[in-house]
Amino acid sequence: MGVPVRRGADEKITALREKLVGAWARTDEIFAIVPNSELGAAPIVWRHPFIFYIGHLPAFSWNQICGAILGWKSFNPGFDDVFCRGIDPDVDTGECHWHPEVPDEWPQLRETLAYRDHVRRALLESVEAVLCSDAAGVMAQNGRVFQMVLEHEWMHQETLLYMLQQLPLARKRRPKTAPRYSFQPAPVPRAVEIPAGSARLGAKFDDVHFGWDNEFNETRVSVPAFEIDTLPVTNGQYFEFVVCGAYDEPRFWRPEDWRWKQFENKSYPVCWFRRGGDWLFRCMFDSFPLKHVASWPVYVSLAEARAYANWAGKRLPTEAEFHRAAYYGPDGRESAYPWGQTAPAAQHGNFDFLSWSPLPVGSRPAGASRWGVSELVGNGWELTETPFAPLPGFSPYIESYPDYSQDFFDGKHFVVKGASWATDRTLLRPSFRNWYQAHYPYLFAKFRCVSQ
Ligand SMILES: [Fe+2]
């Protein structure tokens, strides 16, 4: 009877090692875009330079697995510490949660890569050690800590990509697989009525293979009827908002959003720019006339999205409305994905690194929800107006990552749902909650409007 059990464990060990190696391969592919001369660059002022992230991903993994669970002796405590946590300051005040002291000079590339490679070898060994250990604690059980480390790596891949989006085109290397773009026109916009009903937010701990602490516990909420746009707002639609002068009209903006916009001197989305009298759009490796990408969803901050919705006489959806529109249908039953129970695939949406850019809205009709609402998952995260807060029954993952979520329950971060083109498919579970500040314009996030 021992043999099948052992075989099962061996398969799990092999599968986890393959997942780790696969995640690292994609991380390395992303870092290959950054020339060595740019590793000290920080294209977003609220983030550390690229070199930090080369060290951070292995440091986080080492600290959580080899340190916290296995108690292995560190081979480089200095790097475990200096790379342990990044920054994510309040963009209005500059205040930041705890993080290690920022060195005057970051470690050199060669020693950081040596650290990374040493940690990666240790992690491959750690899989068997953790799965066969009798360590107490929820993270040690069922290999959960590996899922945490993998999801952390995937989320950072997306963060790196939106940092790279801000790096001027001439300062980065194009990937081996050349980006392909699509410019077909958008379908005619329309809205659908979602009747009143209940929605399930979060999850029960035992019902998901892995979840972050902020996904627990499951809670059910009643959602009044509302009307939601079947497609997100496009660059073309947002252009109307810009050229009518709405960026100079305080009445469309919340006071705090107006103050931020004035301070930042913003008058259009962060990926747009002007050359002479022309409007252009900068994506990861190319720029285009804005009119060529008029059918792509516009990526803006929550502040800009709420101003647009106000101008249009509408508002943004709540987290609960997103769930109603995405995971329910006229029969009242909940589905695992907007399109039903089928595992996510390329025909369902622009996620899982399908492309290096947005696609025209409406490009994936097979991914529409059962109400007929398109691309709620994929082609850009969906901004909501719901402040990021604990669900009833929240309990922090104290032993594994203190403050992971709690630091962000500050009323200034808002729930973001769905996925972008740079989101790993594992993060498509309905309970996954992303969050960002209203005055942070860099993420790959789109929005749509609702009315009641
Ligand atoms: Fe991190």
Side-chain angles (χ1 to χ4, degrees):
M1 292 297 287
V3 174
V5 172
R6 179 67 213 177
R7 192 187 305 136
D10 284 347
E11 282 169 6
K12 202 166 178 181
I13 291 165
T14 305
L16 272 175
R17 285 179 177 155
E18 284 174 357
K19 272 193 170 182
L20 288 167
V21 170
W24 298 336
R26 191 156 65 200
T27 296
D28 294 348
E29 192 185 340
I30 292 168
F31 278 121
I33 297 168
V34 189
N36 288 359
S37 56
E38 296 294 343
L39 287 171
I44 296 177
V45 67
W46 307 113
R47 296 265 170 195
H48 279 326
F50 291 111
I51 185 72
F52 166 80
Y53 296 95
I54 295 181
H56 173 59
L57 293 170
F60 178 86
S61 307
W62 173 274
N63 291 336
Q64 300 306 317
I65 298 172
C66 305
I69 291 186
L70 295 172
W72 288 356
K73 187 173 177 338
S74 172
F75 62 94
N76 193 336
F79 277 22
D80 299 345
D81 180 58
V82 78
F83 289 124
C84 78
R85 193 172 188 190
I87 50 171
D88 183 16
D90 181 320
V91 298
D92 294 322
T93 65
E95 283 172 30
C96 193
H97 54 60
W98 178 88
H99 60 85
E101 199 172 327
V102 179
D104 293 335
E105 207 173 312
W106 288 101
Q108 294 297 303
L109 175 64
R110 205 168 61 153
E111 54 186 351
T112 308
L113 289 177
Y115 173 77
R116 179 200 71 183
D117 293 342
H118 194 140
V119 169
R120 285 181 177 180
R121 285 193 296 276
L123 289 171
L124 292 177
E125 279 179 39
S126 76
V127 176
E128 184 166 5
V130 171
L131 294 186
C132 298
S133 87
D134 52 7
V138 75
M139 277 298 144
Q141 292 157 16
N142 300 322
R144 253 189 214 99
V145 73
F146 291 101
Q147 199 60 29
M148 179 171 76
V149 159
L150 283 162
E151 295 201 3
H152 176 259
E153 184 114 2
W154 292 324
M155 287 189 271
H156 269 293
Q157 289 171 353
E158 180 155 3
T159 311
L160 282 165
L161 284 166
Y162 73 64
M163 283 170 64
L164 274 164
Q165 167 103 17
Q166 297 306 314
L167 195 67
L169 302 180
R171 289 168 56 188
K172 51 195 167 187
R173 295 196 198 103
R174 293 177 77 86
K176 282 183 223 129
T177 47
R180 294 218 310 257
Y181 303 104
S182 180
F183 304 110
Q184 82 236 21
V188 176
R190 66 186 182 92
V192 293
E193 171 90 10
I194 309 287
S198 76
R200 185 173 68 98
L201 309 187
K204 288 184 184 150
F205 190 75
D206 292 328
D207 284 356
V208 289
H209 178 53
F210 173 80
W212 294 91
D213 51 10
N214 64 72
E215 296 173 49
F216 306 118
N217 211 350
E218 178 180 288
T219 182
R220 288 183 187 276
V221 291
S222 293
V223 186
F226 62 101
E227 196 175 85
I228 186 165
D229 292 349
T230 60
L231 292 167
V233 173
T234 62
N235 283 315
Q237 290 169 312
Y238 200 85
F239 185 69
E240 300 299 318
F241 173 67
V242 171
V243 295
C244 83
Y247 270 72
D248 298 318
E249 277 284 352
R251 66 194 160 112
F252 299 127
W253 301 74
R254 292 190 187 188
E256 66 272 29
D257 294 347
W258 177 258
R259 279 195 297 276
W260 164 76
K261 183 202 71 68
Q262 291 294 88
F263 182 76
E264 293 289 329
N265 200 21
K266 286 185 72 66
S267 45
Y268 45 81
V270 74
C271 294
W272 297 14
F273 64 104
R274 301 196 74 171
R275 189 183 293 144
D278 297 328
W279 287 93
L280 294 116
F281 179 91
R282 189 187 65 240
C283 53
M284 189 67 72
F285 301 106
D286 299 281
S287 58
F288 301 105
L290 188 61
K291 59 178 182 283
H292 288 193
V293 297
S295 63
W296 293 9
V298 68
Y299 286 175
V300 286
S301 64
L302 181 65
E304 292 161 295
R306 345 195 239 219
Y308 177 95
N310 199 12
W311 171 77
K314 297 182 178 182
R315 61 176 175 81
L316 299 187
T318 62
E319 181 181 16
E321 286 169 338
F322 174 91
H323 276 260
R324 282 286 295 157
Y327 301 115
Y328 293 82
D331 62 5
R333 290 214 298 261
E334 188 183 2
S335 57
Y337 303 101
W339 52 88
Q341 300 300 119
T342 319
Q347 79 261 23
H348 297 126
N350 185 16
F351 44 68
D352 206 36
F353 301 83
L354 184 75
S355 69
W356 290 98
S357 70
L359 293 174
V361 303
S363 293
R364 290 293 185 273
S369 82
R370 288 172 292 140
W371 306 109
V373 186
S374 289
E375 61 194 68
L376 286 159
V377 173
N379 215 22
W381 293 88
E382 291 268 328
L383 298 168
T384 80
E385 65 173 28
T386 300
F388 184 53
L391 296 174
F394 168 81
S395 167
Y397 278 166
I398 290 171
E399 62 195 318
S400 60
Y401 198 170
D403 317 330
Y404 178 77
S405 298
Q406 289 179 110
D407 274 356
F408 306 104
F409 297 150
D410 59 359
K412 299 189 80 171
H413 289 77
F414 292 81
V415 175
V416 181
K417 293 290 296 183
S420 86
W421 55 269
T423 309
D424 189 274
R425 69 176 59 203
T426 311
L427 305 180
L428 266 49
R429 62 177 177 273
S431 59
F432 187 81
R433 308 166 84 203
N434 206 342
W435 66 89
Y436 277 99
Q437 296 175 74
H439 302 158
Y440 194 81
Y442 307 109
L443 61 156
F444 303 139
K446 63 190 192 306
F447 72 99
R448 69 188 73 216
C449 297
V450 301
S451 50
Q452 221 126 14

